[in-house]
Coordinates of all heavy atoms in Angstrom, one line a residue:
M1 N -55.9 -5.8 -55.1 CA -57.0 -5.4 -55.9 C -56.8 -4.1 -56.6 O -57.2 -4.0 -57.7 CB -58.2 -5.3 -54.9 CG -59.5 -5.2 -55.6 SD -60.0 -6.6 -56.6 CE -61.6 -6.7 -56.2
A2 N -56.2 -3.2 -55.9 CA -56.0 -1.9 -56.6 C -54.9 -2.0 -57.7 O -55.1 -1.3 -58.7 CB -55.5 -0.8 -55.6
R3 N -54.0 -2.9 -57.5 CA -53.0 -3.0 -58.7 C -53.7 -3.6 -59.9 O -53.4 -3.2 -61.0 CB -51.9 -4.1 -58.2 CG -50.7 -3.4 -57.6 CD -49.7 -4.4 -57.4 NE -48.4 -3.8 -57.5 CZ -47.3 -4.3 -57.3 NH1 -47.3 -5.6 -57.0 NH2 -46.2 -3.7 -57.3
S4 N -54.5 -4.6 -59.7 CA -55.2 -5.2 -60.9 C -56.1 -4.2 -61.6 O -56.2 -4.2 -62.8 CB -56.0 -6.5 -60.5 OG -57.0 -6.2 -59.7
R5 N -56.8 -3.3 -60.9 CA -57.6 -2.3 -61.5 C -56.7 -1.3 -62.2 O -57.1 -0.9 -63.3 CB -58.3 -1.5 -60.4 CG -59.5 -2.1 -60.0 CD -60.4 -1.2 -59.2 NE -61.4 -2.0 -58.4 CZ -62.0 -1.5 -57.3 NH1 -61.8 -0.3 -56.9 NH2 -62.9 -2.3 -56.7
G6 N -55.6 -1.0 -61.7 CA -54.7 -0.1 -62.4 C -54.2 -0.7 -63.7 O -54.1 0.0 -64.7
R7 N -53.8 -2.0 -63.7 CA -53.3 -2.7 -64.9 C -54.5 -2.7 -65.9 O -54.2 -2.6 -67.1 CB -52.8 -4.0 -64.5 CG -51.5 -4.0 -63.9 CD -51.0 -5.4 -63.5 NE -49.8 -5.3 -62.8 CZ -49.3 -6.3 -62.2 NH1 -49.9 -7.5 -62.1 NH2 -48.2 -6.2 -61.4
L8 N -55.7 -3.0 -65.4 CA -56.9 -3.1 -66.3 C -57.1 -1.8 -67.0 O -57.4 -1.7 -68.1 CB -58.1 -3.6 -65.5 CG -59.4 -3.8 -66.3 CD1 -59.1 -4.8 -67.4 CD2 -60.5 -4.2 -65.5
G9 N -57.0 -0.7 -66.2 CA -57.2 0.6 -66.8 C -56.1 1.0 -67.8 O -56.5 1.5 -68.9
V10 N -54.9 0.6 -67.6 CA -53.9 0.8 -68.6 C -54.1 0.0 -69.8 O -54.0 0.5 -70.9 CB -52.4 0.6 -67.9 CG1 -51.4 0.6 -69.0 CG2 -52.2 1.6 -66.8
A11 N -54.4 -1.2 -69.6 CA -54.7 -2.1 -70.7 C -55.9 -1.6 -71.6 O -55.8 -1.7 -72.8 CB -54.9 -3.5 -70.3
S12 N -56.9 -1.2 -70.9 CA -58.0 -0.7 -71.6 C -57.7 0.6 -72.4 O -58.1 0.8 -73.5 CB -59.2 -0.3 -70.6 OG -59.6 -1.4 -70.0
L13 N -56.9 1.5 -71.8 CA -56.5 2.7 -72.5 C -55.7 2.4 -73.8 O -55.9 2.9 -74.8 CB -55.7 3.6 -71.5 CG -55.1 4.9 -72.1 CD1 -56.2 5.8 -72.6 CD2 -54.2 5.6 -71.1
V14 N -54.7 1.4 -73.6 CA -53.9 1.1 -74.7 C -54.7 0.4 -75.8 O -54.6 0.8 -77.1 CB -52.7 0.1 -74.3 CG1 -52.1 -0.6 -75.5 CG2 -51.7 0.7 -73.4
L15 N -55.6 -0.4 -75.5 CA -56.5 -1.1 -76.5 C -57.4 0.0 -77.1 O -57.6 0.0 -78.4 CB -57.5 -2.0 -75.8 CG -58.4 -2.8 -76.7 CD1 -57.6 -3.6 -77.8 CD2 -59.3 -3.7 -75.9
A16 N -57.9 1.0 -76.4 CA -58.8 2.0 -77.0 C -58.0 2.9 -78.0 O -58.4 3.2 -79.0 CB -59.4 2.9 -75.9
L17 N -56.7 3.3 -77.6 CA -55.9 4.0 -78.5 C -55.5 3.3 -79.8 O -55.6 3.9 -80.9 CB -54.6 4.5 -77.8 CG -54.8 5.5 -76.7 CD1 -53.5 5.7 -76.0 CD2 -55.4 6.8 -77.2
C18 N -55.2 2.0 -79.7 CA -54.9 1.2 -80.8 C -56.1 1.0 -81.7 O -56.0 1.1 -82.9 CB -54.3 -0.2 -80.4 SG -52.7 0.0 -79.7
A19 N -57.2 0.7 -81.2 CA -58.4 0.4 -81.9 C -58.8 1.7 -82.6 O -59.4 1.7 -83.7 CB -59.6 -0.1 -81.0
G20 N -58.7 2.9 -82.0 CA -59.1 4.1 -82.6 C -58.3 4.5 -83.8 O -58.7 5.1 -84.8
G21 N -57.0 4.1 -83.8 CA -56.1 4.4 -84.9 C -56.4 3.6 -86.1 O -56.0 3.9 -87.3
C22 N -57.0 2.4 -85.9 CA -57.2 1.5 -87.1 C -58.5 1.8 -87.8 O -58.7 1.2 -88.9 CB -57.2 0.1 -86.6 SG -55.7 -0.5 -85.9
T23 N -59.3 2.6 -87.3 CA -60.7 2.8 -87.9 C -60.5 3.5 -89.3 O -61.5 3.4 -90.1 CB -61.6 3.6 -87.0 OG1 -61.0 4.8 -86.8 CG2 -61.9 2.8 -85.8
S24 N -59.5 4.3 -89.6 CA -59.4 5.0 -90.9 C -58.8 4.1 -91.9 O -58.7 4.5 -93.1 CB -58.6 6.2 -90.7 OG -57.3 5.9 -90.4
M25 N -58.4 2.9 -91.7 CA -57.8 2.0 -92.7 C -58.9 1.0 -93.1 O -59.5 0.5 -92.3 CB -56.6 1.3 -92.1 CG -55.4 2.2 -91.9 SD -54.0 1.2 -91.7 CE -52.8 2.4 -91.2
Q26 N -58.8 0.7 -94.4 CA -59.8 -0.2 -95.0 C -59.0 -1.1 -95.9 O -58.3 -0.6 -96.8 CB -60.9 0.4 -95.7 CG -61.7 1.4 -95.0 CD -62.7 2.1 -95.9 OE1 -62.9 1.7 -97.0 NE2 -63.2 3.2 -95.5
I27 N -59.1 -2.4 -95.8 CA -58.5 -3.3 -96.7 C -59.5 -3.3 -98.0 O -60.7 -3.5 -97.8 CB -58.5 -4.7 -96.2 CG1 -57.6 -4.8 -94.9 CG2 -58.0 -5.7 -97.3 CD1 -56.2 -4.4 -95.1
A28 N -58.9 -3.0 -99.1 CA -59.7 -2.8 -100.3 C -59.8 -4.2 -101.1 O -58.8 -4.9 -101.2 CB -59.1 -1.9 -101.2
K29 N -61.1 -4.6 -101.4 CA -61.2 -5.8 -102.1 C -61.8 -5.5 -103.5 O -62.6 -4.6 -103.7 CB -62.3 -6.7 -101.5 CG -61.9 -7.1 -100.1 CD -62.7 -8.2 -99.5 CE -62.4 -8.4 -98.1 NZ -61.5 -9.3 -97.8
G30 N -61.2 -6.1 -104.5 CA -61.5 -5.8 -105.9 C -60.4 -5.3 -106.7 O -59.2 -5.3 -106.2
S31 N -60.6 -4.9 -107.9 CA -59.4 -4.4 -108.7 C -59.1 -3.0 -108.3 O -59.9 -2.1 -108.1 CB -59.8 -4.5 -110.2 OG -60.8 -3.5 -110.5
P32 N -57.8 -2.8 -108.2 CA -57.3 -1.4 -107.9 C -57.9 -0.2 -108.8 O -58.3 0.7 -108.2 CB -55.8 -1.5 -108.0 CG -55.5 -2.9 -107.7 CD -56.6 -3.7 -108.3
P33 N -58.0 -0.4 -110.1 CA -58.5 0.7 -110.9 C -60.0 0.9 -110.5 O -60.3 2.1 -110.4 CB -58.5 0.1 -112.3 CG -57.3 -0.8 -112.3 CD -57.4 -1.5 -110.9
R34 N -60.8 0.0 -110.3 CA -62.1 0.1 -109.9 C -62.3 0.8 -108.5 O -63.0 1.7 -108.3 CB -62.9 -1.2 -109.9 CG -64.2 -1.2 -109.2 CD -65.5 -1.0 -110.0 NE -65.6 -1.8 -111.1 CZ -66.3 -1.5 -112.1 NH1 -66.9 -0.2 -112.1 NH2 -66.4 -2.2 -113.1
I35 N -61.4 0.3 -107.6 CA -61.5 0.9 -106.2 C -61.1 2.4 -106.2 O -61.8 3.2 -105.6 CB -60.5 0.1 -105.3 CG1 -61.1 -1.3 -105.1 CG2 -60.4 0.8 -103.9 CD1 -60.0 -2.3 -104.6
I36 N -60.0 2.7 -106.9 CA -59.6 4.0 -107.0 C -60.6 5.0 -107.7 O -60.9 6.1 -107.2 CB -58.2 4.2 -107.6 CG1 -57.2 3.5 -106.7 CG2 -57.8 5.6 -107.9 CD1 -55.8 3.3 -107.3
A37 N -61.2 4.5 -108.7 CA -62.2 5.2 -109.5 C -63.5 5.4 -108.7 O -64.0 6.6 -108.6 CB -62.5 4.6 -110.8
D38 N -63.9 4.4 -108.0 CA -65.2 4.4 -107.3 C -65.1 5.2 -105.9 O -65.9 6.0 -105.6 CB -65.7 3.0 -107.0 CG -66.3 2.3 -108.2 OD1 -66.3 3.0 -109.3 OD2 -66.5 1.1 -108.2
K39 N -64.0 5.0 -105.2 CA -63.9 5.5 -103.8 C -63.1 6.8 -103.8 O -63.2 7.6 -102.9 CB -63.3 4.5 -102.9 CG -64.2 3.2 -102.8 CD -63.8 2.4 -101.6 CE -64.6 1.2 -101.5 NZ -65.6 1.2 -100.5
Q40 N -62.3 7.0 -104.8 CA -61.4 8.3 -104.8 C -60.8 8.5 -103.5 O -61.0 9.6 -102.9 CB -62.3 9.4 -105.3 CG -62.8 9.3 -106.7 CD -63.7 10.4 -107.1 OE1 -64.0 11.3 -106.3 NE2 -64.1 10.4 -108.4
P41 N -60.0 7.6 -102.9 CA -59.3 7.8 -101.7 C -58.2 8.9 -101.7 O -57.6 9.1 -102.8 CB -58.7 6.4 -101.4 CG -58.4 5.9 -102.7 CD -59.6 6.3 -103.6
S42 N -58.0 9.6 -100.7 CA -57.0 10.6 -100.6 C -55.6 10.0 -100.4 O -54.6 10.5 -100.7 CB -57.2 11.6 -99.5 OG -57.3 11.0 -98.3
E43 N -55.6 8.7 -99.8 CA -54.3 8.1 -99.5 C -54.4 6.6 -99.6 O -55.5 6.1 -99.0 CB -53.8 8.5 -98.2 CG -52.5 7.9 -97.7 CD -52.1 8.3 -96.3 OE1 -52.9 9.2 -95.7 OE2 -51.1 7.9 -95.8
I44 N -53.6 5.9 -100.2 CA -53.5 4.4 -100.2 C -52.2 3.9 -99.9 O -51.2 4.6 -100.0 CB -54.0 3.9 -101.6 CG1 -53.0 4.3 -102.7 CG2 -55.4 4.2 -102.0 CD1 -53.3 3.6 -104.1
E45 N -52.2 2.6 -99.5 CA -50.9 1.9 -99.3 C -51.0 0.6 -100.2 O -51.9 -0.1 -100.2 CB -50.7 1.5 -97.8 CG -49.5 0.8 -97.6 CD -49.3 0.3 -96.1 OE1 -49.8 -0.7 -95.8 OE2 -48.6 1.1 -95.4
I46 N -50.0 0.5 -101.0 CA -49.9 -0.6 -102.0 C -48.8 -1.6 -101.4 O -47.7 -1.2 -101.1 CB -49.5 -0.1 -103.4 CG1 -50.6 0.8 -103.9 CG2 -49.2 -1.3 -104.3 CD1 -50.2 1.5 -105.2
R47 N -49.2 -2.8 -101.4 CA -48.2 -3.9 -101.1 C -47.8 -4.4 -102.5 O -48.6 -4.9 -103.3 CB -48.9 -5.0 -100.3 CG -47.8 -6.0 -99.8 CD -48.4 -7.1 -99.0 NE -49.5 -7.8 -99.6 CZ -50.7 -7.9 -99.1 NH1 -51.0 -7.3 -98.0 NH2 -51.7 -8.5 -99.8
K48 N -46.5 -4.5 -102.7 CA -45.9 -4.9 -104.0 C -45.6 -6.4 -103.8 O -45.6 -6.9 -102.8 CB -44.6 -4.1 -104.3 CG -45.0 -2.6 -104.5 CD -43.8 -1.7 -104.7 CE -43.1 -2.0 -105.9 NZ -42.0 -1.1 -106.3
V49 N -45.4 -7.0 -105.0 CA -45.2 -8.5 -105.1 C -43.9 -8.8 -104.4 O -43.8 -10.0 -103.9 CB -45.3 -9.0 -106.5 CG1 -46.6 -8.9 -107.1 CG2 -44.2 -8.3 -107.4
D50 N -43.0 -7.9 -104.3 CA -41.7 -8.2 -103.6 C -41.9 -8.0 -102.0 O -40.9 -8.3 -101.3 CB -40.6 -7.4 -104.1 CG -40.7 -5.9 -103.8 OD1 -41.7 -5.5 -103.1 OD2 -39.9 -5.2 -104.2
G51 N -43.0 -7.7 -101.5 CA -43.3 -7.6 -100.1 C -43.1 -6.1 -99.6 O -43.6 -5.8 -98.5
S52 N -42.6 -5.3 -100.4 CA -42.4 -3.8 -99.9 C -43.7 -3.1 -100.0 O -44.7 -3.6 -100.7 CB -41.4 -3.1 -100.8 OG -41.8 -3.0 -102.1
R53 N -43.8 -2.0 -99.3 CA -45.0 -1.2 -99.3 C -44.7 0.2 -99.7 O -43.6 0.7 -99.4 CB -45.7 -1.3 -97.9 CG -46.2 -2.6 -97.6 CD -46.6 -2.7 -96.2 NE -47.0 -4.1 -95.9 CZ -48.0 -4.5 -95.3 NH1 -48.8 -3.7 -94.7 NH2 -48.2 -5.8 -95.0
I54 N -45.7 0.8 -100.3 CA -45.5 2.2 -100.8 C -46.8 3.0 -100.5 O -47.9 2.5 -100.8 CB -45.1 2.3 -102.2 CG1 -44.8 3.7 -102.7 CG2 -46.1 1.7 -103.2 CD1 -44.1 3.8 -104.1
R55 N -46.7 4.2 -100.0 CA -47.9 5.1 -99.9 C -48.0 6.1 -101.0 O -47.0 6.6 -101.5 CB -47.8 5.9 -98.6 CG -47.9 5.1 -97.4 CD -49.1 5.6 -96.6 NE -49.2 4.6 -95.5 CZ -49.7 4.9 -94.3 NH1 -50.1 6.1 -94.0 NH2 -49.8 4.0 -93.4
L56 N -49.2 6.2 -101.5 CA -49.5 7.2 -102.5 C -50.6 8.1 -102.0 O -51.6 7.7 -101.6 CB -49.9 6.5 -103.8 CG -48.9 5.6 -104.5 CD1 -49.5 4.9 -105.7 CD2 -47.6 6.4 -104.9
Y57 N -50.4 9.4 -102.2 CA -51.5 10.4 -102.0 C -52.1 10.8 -103.3 O -51.5 10.9 -104.3 CB -50.9 11.6 -101.3 CG -50.2 11.3 -99.9 CD1 -49.0 10.8 -99.9 CD2 -51.0 11.3 -98.8 CE1 -48.4 10.5 -98.6 CE2 -50.5 11.0 -97.5 CZ -49.2 10.6 -97.5 OH -48.6 10.2 -96.2
K58 N -53.4 11.0 -103.2 CA -54.2 11.4 -104.4 C -54.0 10.5 -105.6 O -53.6 10.9 -106.6 CB -53.9 12.9 -104.8 CG -54.1 13.8 -103.6 CD -53.7 15.2 -104.0 CE -53.7 16.2 -102.9 NZ -53.1 17.4 -103.1
P59 N -54.2 9.1 -105.4 CA -53.9 8.3 -106.4 C -54.9 8.3 -107.6 O -56.1 8.6 -107.4 CB -54.0 6.9 -105.8 CG -55.0 7.1 -104.7 CD -54.7 8.5 -104.2
V60 N -54.4 8.0 -108.8 CA -55.2 7.9 -110.1 C -54.6 6.7 -110.8 O -53.4 6.4 -110.7 CB -55.2 9.1 -110.9 CG1 -55.9 10.3 -110.2 CG2 -53.8 9.6 -111.3
V61 N -55.4 6.2 -111.7 CA -55.0 5.1 -112.5 C -54.9 5.6 -114.0 O -55.9 6.1 -114.5 CB -55.9 3.8 -112.4 CG1 -55.5 2.7 -113.4 CG2 -55.9 3.3 -111.0
R62 N -53.8 5.4 -114.6 CA -53.6 5.7 -116.0 C -53.1 4.5 -116.7 O -52.0 4.0 -116.4 CB -52.6 6.8 -116.2 CG -53.2 8.2 -115.7 CD -52.3 9.4 -116.1 NE -52.7 10.4 -115.3 CZ -51.8 11.1 -114.5 NH1 -50.6 10.8 -114.4 NH2 -52.2 12.2 -113.9
R63 N -54.0 3.9 -117.6 CA -53.6 2.7 -118.3 C -53.4 1.6 -117.4 O -54.2 1.1 -116.6 CB -52.5 2.9 -119.4 CG -52.9 3.9 -120.4 CD -51.8 4.0 -121.5 NE -52.3 5.0 -122.5 CZ -51.5 6.0 -122.8 NH1 -50.3 6.1 -122.3 NH2 -51.9 6.8 -123.7
D64 N -52.1 1.1 -117.3 CA -51.7 0.0 -116.4 C -50.9 0.4 -115.2 O -50.1 -0.4 -114.7 CB -51.1 -1.1 -117.2 CG -49.7 -0.7 -117.8 OD1 -49.5 0.5 -117.8 OD2 -49.0 -1.5 -118.3
T65 N -51.0 1.6 -114.8 CA -50.1 2.2 -113.8 C -50.9 3.0 -112.7 O -51.9 3.7 -113.1 CB -49.1 3.1 -114.4 OG1 -48.4 2.4 -115.4 CG2 -48.0 3.5 -113.4
I66 N -50.6 3.0 -111.5 CA -51.2 3.7 -110.4 C -50.2 4.9 -110.2 O -49.0 4.7 -109.9 CB -51.4 3.0 -109.1 CG1 -52.3 1.8 -109.4 CG2 -52.0 3.9 -108.1 CD1 -52.5 0.9 -108.2
W67 N -50.7 6.1 -110.3 CA -49.9 7.3 -110.1 C -50.3 7.9 -108.8 O -51.5 7.9 -108.5 CB -50.1 8.3 -111.2 CG -49.6 7.9 -112.6 CD1 -50.1 6.9 -113.4 CD2 -48.5 8.4 -113.3 NE1 -49.4 6.8 -114.5 CE2 -48.3 7.7 -114.5 CE3 -47.6 9.5 -113.0 CZ2 -47.3 8.0 -115.4 CZ3 -46.6 9.7 -113.9 CH2 -46.5 9.0 -115.1
G68 N -49.4 8.6 -108.1 CA -49.7 9.3 -106.9 C -48.5 10.2 -106.5 O -47.5 10.2 -107.1
S69 N -48.7 10.9 -105.3 CA -47.7 11.9 -104.8 C -47.0 11.3 -103.7 O -47.6 10.5 -102.9 CB -48.4 13.2 -104.5 OG -49.0 13.8 -105.6
R70 N -45.9 11.8 -103.4 CA -45.1 11.3 -102.2 C -45.7 12.0 -100.9 O -45.7 11.3 -99.8 CB -43.6 11.8 -102.3 CG -42.8 11.1 -103.3 CD -41.4 11.6 -103.4 NE -40.8 11.1 -104.5 CZ -40.1 10.0 -104.6 NH1 -40.0 9.3 -103.5 NH2 -39.5 9.6 -105.7
T71 N -46.2 13.2 -101.0 CA -46.8 13.9 -99.9 C -48.2 14.4 -100.3 O -48.4 14.6 -101.5 CB -45.9 15.0 -99.4 OG1 -45.9 16.0 -100.4 CG2 -44.6 14.5 -99.0
Y72 N -49.0 14.6 -99.3 CA -50.4 15.1 -99.6 C -50.4 16.5 -100.3 O -51.1 16.8 -101.1 CB -51.3 15.1 -98.4 CG -52.7 15.4 -98.7 CD1 -53.5 14.5 -99.2 CD2 -53.2 16.7 -98.5 CE1 -54.9 14.7 -99.5 CE2 -54.5 16.9 -98.7 CZ -55.3 15.9 -99.3 OH -56.6 16.3 -99.6
D73 N -49.4 17.3 -99.9 CA -49.3 18.7 -100.4 C -48.7 18.8 -101.8 O -48.8 19.8 -102.4 CB -48.6 19.6 -99.4 CG -49.4 19.7 -98.1 OD1 -50.6 19.6 -98.1 OD2 -48.7 19.9 -97.0
N74 N -48.1 17.7 -102.2 CA -47.4 17.7 -103.5 C -48.4 17.9 -104.6 O -49.3 17.0 -104.7 CB -46.5 16.5 -103.6 CG -45.5 16.6 -104.7 OD1 -45.5 17.6 -105.5 ND2 -44.6 15.6 -104.8
R75 N -48.2 18.8 -105.5 CA -49.1 19.0 -106.7 C -48.8 18.1 -107.8 O -49.6 17.9 -108.7 CB -49.2 20.4 -107.0 CG -49.7 21.3 -105.9 CD -49.8 22.7 -106.4 NE -50.1 23.6 -105.4 CZ -51.4 23.9 -105.1 NH1 -52.4 23.5 -105.8 NH2 -51.6 24.8 -104.0
T76 N -47.6 17.5 -107.9 CA -47.2 16.6 -108.9 C -47.3 15.2 -108.6 O -47.1 14.9 -107.4 CB -45.8 17.0 -109.4 OG1 -44.9 16.8 -108.4 CG2 -45.7 18.4 -109.9
Q77 N -47.6 14.4 -109.5 CA -47.8 13.0 -109.2 C -46.4 12.4 -109.6 O -46.0 12.2 -110.7 CB -48.8 12.3 -110.0 CG -50.2 12.8 -109.5 CD -51.3 12.3 -110.3 OE1 -51.2 12.2 -111.5 NE2 -52.4 12.0 -109.7
D78 N -45.6 12.1 -108.5 CA -44.2 11.8 -108.8 C -43.8 10.3 -108.4 O -42.7 9.9 -108.3 CB -43.3 12.7 -108.0 CG -43.6 12.8 -106.5 OD1 -44.5 12.1 -106.1 OD2 -42.9 13.6 -105.8
R79 N -44.8 9.5 -108.1 CA -44.7 8.1 -107.9 C -45.5 7.3 -108.7 O -46.7 7.6 -108.9 CB -45.0 7.8 -106.4 CG -43.9 8.1 -105.4 CD -44.2 7.6 -104.1 NE -43.0 7.6 -103.3 CZ -43.0 7.2 -102.1 NH1 -44.0 6.8 -101.4 NH2 -41.8 7.2 -101.4
V80 N -45.0 6.2 -109.2 CA -45.8 5.2 -110.0 C -45.6 3.8 -109.6 O -44.5 3.5 -109.2 CB -45.5 5.4 -111.5 CG1 -45.9 6.9 -112.0 CG2 -44.1 5.2 -111.8
V81 N -46.6 3.0 -109.7 CA -46.5 1.6 -109.5 C -47.3 0.9 -110.6 O -48.5 1.2 -110.8 CB -47.1 1.3 -108.1 CG1 -47.1 -0.3 -107.9 CG2 -46.4 2.0 -107.0
A82 N -46.7 0.0 -111.3 CA -47.4 -0.7 -112.3 C -48.4 -1.7 -111.6 O -48.1 -2.2 -110.6 CB -46.4 -1.5 -113.1
L83 N -49.6 -1.9 -112.3 CA -50.6 -2.7 -111.7 C -50.1 -4.1 -111.5 O -50.4 -4.9 -110.6 CB -51.9 -2.7 -112.5 CG -52.7 -1.4 -112.5 CD1 -53.7 -1.5 -113.5 CD2 -53.2 -1.2 -111.1
S84 N -49.1 -4.6 -112.4 CA -48.6 -5.9 -112.3 C -47.6 -6.1 -111.2 O -47.3 -7.2 -110.8 CB -47.9 -6.3 -113.6 OG -46.8 -5.4 -113.9
E85 N -47.2 -4.9 -110.6 CA -46.2 -5.0 -109.5 C -46.9 -5.0 -108.1 O -46.3 -5.2 -107.1 CB -45.3 -3.8 -109.5 CG -44.3 -3.8 -110.7 CD -43.4 -2.5 -110.6 OE1 -43.5 -1.7 -109.7 OE2 -42.7 -2.4 -111.6
Q86 N -48.2 -4.8 -108.1 CA -48.9 -4.7 -106.8 C -49.6 -6.0 -106.5 O -50.1 -6.7 -107.4 CB -49.9 -3.6 -106.7 CG -51.1 -3.6 -107.7 CD -52.2 -4.3 -107.1 OE1 -52.5 -4.3 -105.9 NE2 -52.9 -4.9 -107.9
S87 N -49.6 -6.3 -105.2 CA -50.3 -7.6 -104.7 C -51.4 -7.3 -103.7 O -52.2 -8.2 -103.3 CB -49.3 -8.6 -104.1 OG -48.8 -8.0 -102.9
G88 N -51.6 -6.0 -103.3 CA -52.6 -5.7 -102.5 C -52.8 -4.1 -102.3 O -51.8 -3.4 -102.6
L89 N -54.0 -3.6 -101.9 CA -54.1 -2.3 -101.8 C -55.0 -2.0 -100.5 O -55.9 -2.7 -100.3 CB -54.9 -1.8 -103.0 CG -55.1 -0.3 -103.1 CD1 -54.9 0.2 -104.5 CD2 -56.5 0.1 -102.7
R90 N -54.6 -1.0 -99.7 CA -55.3 -0.6 -98.5 C -55.6 0.8 -98.6 O -54.7 1.6 -98.9 CB -54.4 -1.0 -97.4 CG -55.1 -0.7 -96.1 CD -54.4 -1.2 -94.9 NE -53.0 -0.7 -94.9 CZ -52.1 -1.0 -93.8 NH1 -52.6 -1.8 -92.8 NH2 -50.9 -0.5 -93.9
I91 N -56.8 1.2 -98.3 CA -57.2 2.6 -98.3 C -56.9 3.1 -96.9 O -57.2 2.6 -95.9 CB -58.7 2.8 -98.5 CG1 -59.0 2.3 -99.9 CG2 -59.1 4.2 -98.3 CD1 -60.5 2.3 -100.3
V92 N -56.0 4.1 -96.9 CA -55.5 4.7 -95.6 C -56.2 6.0 -95.3 O -56.7 6.2 -94.2 CB -54.0 4.9 -95.6 CG1 -53.5 5.5 -94.3 CG2 -53.3 3.6 -95.9
G93 N -56.3 6.9 -96.3 CA -57.0 8.2 -96.1 C -58.5 8.2 -96.4 O -59.0 7.1 -96.8
G94 N -59.1 9.3 -96.3 CA -60.6 9.4 -96.5 C -61.0 9.1 -97.9 O -60.2 9.1 -98.8
V95 N -62.2 8.7 -98.0 CA -62.8 8.4 -99.3 C -63.9 9.4 -99.5 O -64.5 9.9 -98.6 CB -63.3 7.0 -99.4 CG1 -62.2 6.0 -99.3 CG2 -64.3 6.7 -98.4
E96 N -64.3 9.7 -100.8 CA -65.3 10.6 -101.1 C -66.6 9.9 -101.4 O -66.6 8.8 -101.8 CB -64.9 11.5 -102.4 CG -63.7 12.4 -102.0 CD -63.3 13.3 -103.1 OE1 -64.1 13.3 -104.1 OE2 -62.2 13.9 -103.0

């Protein structure tokens, strides 16, 4: 009996830690330009059509491209992803 309680406690702890980590991520529905303009997220993850993923901090949309930084502290927008290259967008950081 004591063993099963211990296992249950460990399983509950693992579940609580995993569930708590997922609360800051949101799957974004809609067009990326609209989502970025409306929600102004501090960090996003883009899934590209080739299956790779890329993180952008402080994203903005200019014409047909999503611009962002490699790190949150970076003041320059040094990463770009064409809207035609993305197949999904997930908000990772906070929204305003």
Side-chain angles (χ1 to χ4, degrees):
M1 188 68 136
R3 266 189 155 176
S4 63
R5 277 192 198 161
R7 289 182 184 164
L8 180 61
V10 170
S12 298
L13 177 62
V14 169
L15 180 62
L17 291 174
C18 290
C22 295
T23 58
S24 65
M25 290 191 186
Q26 303 173 13
I27 301 298
K29 298 191 189 277
S31 73
R34 164 94 54 206
I35 293 163
I36 292 169
D38 290 350
K39 298 193 181 255
Q40 299 178 353
S42 60
E43 179 182 357
I44 61 172
E45 181 179 86
I46 296 173
R47 186 178 56 235
K48 296 173 71 174
V49 292
D50 66 3
S52 64
R53 294 173 187 220
I54 185 170
R55 288 242 174 149
L56 295 177
Y57 296 88
K58 303 175 190 169
V60 295
V61 176
R62 293 189 191 122
R63 296 189 184 124
D64 62 349
T65 308
I66 302 173
W67 293 71
S69 300
R70 292 179 191 270
T71 64
Y72 188 79
D73 295 331
N74 194 351
R75 295 183 189 267
T76 60
Q77 294 176 322
D78 55 2
R79 282 190 158 176
V80 296
V81 178
L83 290 172
S84 61
E85 292 179 6
Q86 66 87 32
S87 65
L89 183 140
R90 180 170 58 173
I91 297 172
V92 180
V95 294
E96 295 182 10

